[in-house]
Amino acid sequence: MDNRKISVLSGIVIFIATLFFSWYIISGDDEDEGVSQETEGAPVLMMEYVPDTIQSTIQFTGRVIPFDQYDITAEVSGIFEGSERVFKTGTAFNRGEVIIQIKDDEERQNLEASRYEFAALISQILPDISIDYSEHYDKWQAYLDELDATNSLKPLPEVSDRQFRMFLNRQNIFSRFSSIRSQEVRLQKYTILAPYNGVVTSHSINPGTLVQTGQQLGQFTGTDNLEIEASIPASEARFISVGDEVTVRSEDITSESFSAVISRKNAVIDPGTQSLKVYMEITNSELEPGSYLEGEVRGQSFENAFKVHKDILVRDNELFVVEDDRAKLQTVRLLASAGDSMIVSGLEPGTQIIDEFRNAVFEDAKVTEREEE
């Protein structure tokens, strides 16, 4: 029984001694490693602060919009008869084709009647012209012979004689002529032509609909000329001007970049976003209205500046530099954002910057430079 107790106690002592010996070995390795790291320093990437003139870029996201857009509004009333093609959303028309035709029979007949009355008025005064103003008779007779009640009136013969002009004025020739010209202009409003190549993007009437004066009939959008609309922060928009070149790209259409030119710049700041609307001309035929593009334009130029990656900044405006082989936090002046980078200044030329992320507790750690893999 005594021998058994002695064996159990011996086993326990051996087990405890094994654990203590293992802990001692591990602790010794950690201390050696800590002493080694403290002696050699933590390996980090470094770069030298070499200030130079840096051109910042303003990055933006813009939307392609049509340059030409026409709200079709009726200036006369009547029945909508149709057009050269069906007047529906998505229908394309070429420049000069009839988009909308409103019934104009009554207006056309009234206009022809007015022209006949005008011809009769000239016929009545021709005898007086042949007697009192014979030198003008041939021109006015020829004008009457060419007058066609179904076509637009031609300009009246030129009158330089003051007495003859007063005579024509007393006979209401000029007032009747202007009245008919006004009717001709009104008749043209019954037919709405496509002002450019484009497509109907909305419609609100169908054939047979009674159209009222001032009624909006639809919207017609040009397809040849497009532009980009983008919002630029007001603080950066002051550095860009009309005529500046812009580089844009669209991952949905093509991965290649292409150029655009700033054509217009709004002068009023949006109070909600504190940004300005900027418009750019584009000529890429693959783009379509509504698609989004990413782009960049040259911004402000900074002297004695340096570009660093945003990831190495600590508390927004600090980064680690190396002083006497130790990491020290240094405050820098932030000049501008440039995508993933930040343009900064405020360091002494030749300062070594730790070019990798380290949190604030790393300060005063001993460091050594390592090569980038």
Side-chain angles (χ1 to χ4, degrees):
M1 188 68 179
D2 293 337
N3 292 335
R4 185 176 181 184
K5 288 182 178 179
I6 292 173
S7 299
V8 171
L9 291 174
S10 299
I12 293 173
V13 171
I14 293 172
F15 177 73
I16 294 173
T18 302
L19 289 177
F20 178 79
F21 183 70
S22 299
W23 173 82
Y24 177 78
I25 293 175
I26 294 173
S27 299
D29 291 343
D30 288 344
E31 289 178 2
D32 291 342
E33 183 178 351
V35 172
S36 175
Q37 184 170 356
E38 177 65 24
T39 302
E40 298 178 2
V44 294
L45 290 174
M46 298 183 190
M47 61 179 175
E48 183 180 358
Y49 178 79
V50 182
D52 198 359
T53 299
I54 296 180
Q55 179 69 55
S56 68
T57 57
I58 303 170
Q59 299 187 350
F60 62 87
T61 299
R63 183 170 60 95
V64 179
I65 61 174
F67 179 80
D68 299 309
Q69 199 161 48
Y70 171 49
D71 290 329
I72 308 173
T73 304
E75 296 184 73
V76 294
S77 60
I79 302 297
F80 172 46
E81 291 186 323
S83 55
E84 291 192 14
R85 298 186 179 93
V86 59
F87 182 71
K88 298 285 186 181
T89 301
T91 302
F93 291 87
N94 295 322
R95 177 187 176 94
E97 291 185 336
V98 176
I99 300 178
I100 290 177
Q101 180 62 61
I102 300 174
K103 190 173 182 180
D104 61 359
D105 295 351
E106 182 178 355
E107 185 70 21
R108 190 175 298 276
Q109 292 297 323
N110 290 336
L111 177 56
E112 289 186 10
S114 297
R115 289 174 183 152
Y116 280 122
E117 292 175 357
F118 186 63
L121 181 59
I122 294 176
S123 298
Q124 292 175 4
I125 66 171
L126 277 177
D128 294 333
I129 294 176
S130 65
I131 297 173
D132 299 329
Y133 309 97
S134 57
E135 65 275 18
H136 300 288
Y137 176 81
D138 291 340
K139 289 191 296 184
W140 283 84
Q141 181 63 61
Y143 182 83
L144 179 61
D145 293 340
E146 295 176 0
L147 194 153
D148 184 356
T150 61
N151 294 319
S152 298
L153 290 181
K154 295 181 180 180
L156 292 174
E158 185 177 352
V159 179
S160 57
D161 186 334
R162 182 172 177 273
Q163 293 296 327
F164 184 48
R165 175 180 291 276
M166 293 178 61
F167 168 75
L168 295 176
N169 198 29
R170 287 196 301 269
Q171 303 302 320
N172 294 323
I173 296 297
F174 298 123
S175 62
R176 291 294 298 159
F177 177 81
S178 297
S179 176
I180 294 173
R181 278 295 183 86
S182 177
Q183 287 181 269
E184 291 175 349
V185 172
R186 178 178 173 79
L187 180 64
Q188 294 175 358
K189 296 178 180 180
Y190 285 82
T191 304
I192 300 178
L193 306 178
Y196 36 74
N197 298 337
V199 62
V200 178
T201 49
S202 69
H203 76 283
S204 58
I205 59 171
N206 295 304
T209 302
L210 175 60
V211 175
Q212 302 291 341
T213 302
Q215 179 180 345
Q216 185 165 340
L217 311 179
Q219 189 176 71
F220 187 73
T221 300
T223 54
D224 292 340
N225 299 320
L226 300 175
E227 62 181 0
I228 302 172
E229 179 187 62
S231 294
I232 305 295
S235 59
E236 299 179 332
R238 59 193 179 98
F239 299 114
I240 62 177
S241 304
V242 173
D244 288 351
E245 290 192 0
V246 181
T247 301
V248 292
R249 57 193 172 275
S250 172
E251 297 295 338
D252 295 335
I253 300 175
T254 174
S255 58
E256 297 180 358
S257 299
F258 52 94
S259 298
V261 177
I262 295 178
S263 58
R264 306 194 313 280
K265 175 184 171 183
N266 199 350
V268 180
I269 299 175
D270 186 327
T273 62
Q274 289 298 295
S275 62
L276 289 177
K277 291 289 187 183
V278 176
Y279 299 88
M280 292 150 270
E281 293 181 358
I282 50 175
T283 56
N284 191 301
S285 59
E286 298 181 13
L287 298 176
E288 295 181 357
S291 58
Y292 282 88
L293 303 173
E294 295 180 350
E296 59 182 29
V297 60
R298 289 166 61 93
Q300 185 180 8
S301 180
F302 297 97
E303 295 183 356
N304 297 320
F306 192 72
K307 186 181 291 187
V308 299
H309 200 281
K310 291 180 179 178
D311 286 346
I312 74 171
L313 293 174
V314 180
R315 292 192 285 262
D316 293 335
N317 66 338
E318 294 179 318
L319 47 74
F320 281 106
V321 301
V322 180
E323 294 181 2
D324 300 327
D325 297 329
R326 291 188 177 276
K328 300 292 183 180
L329 274 175
Q330 182 82 38
T331 301
V332 293
R333 180 186 176 193
L334 305 181
L335 301 179
S337 177
D340 294 333
S341 300
M342 183 69 71
I343 301 174
V344 302
S345 66
L347 298 179
E348 289 294 327
T351 300
Q352 292 294 319
I353 300 174
I354 297 179
D355 191 20
E356 59 183 54
F357 171 74
R358 296 284 175 170
N359 57 34
V361 298
F362 189 67
E363 186 172 15
D364 206 40
K366 189 175 180 58
V367 296
T368 59
E369 185 174 7
R370 69 177 176 87
E371 298 294 331
E372 187 172 2
E373 299 177 357

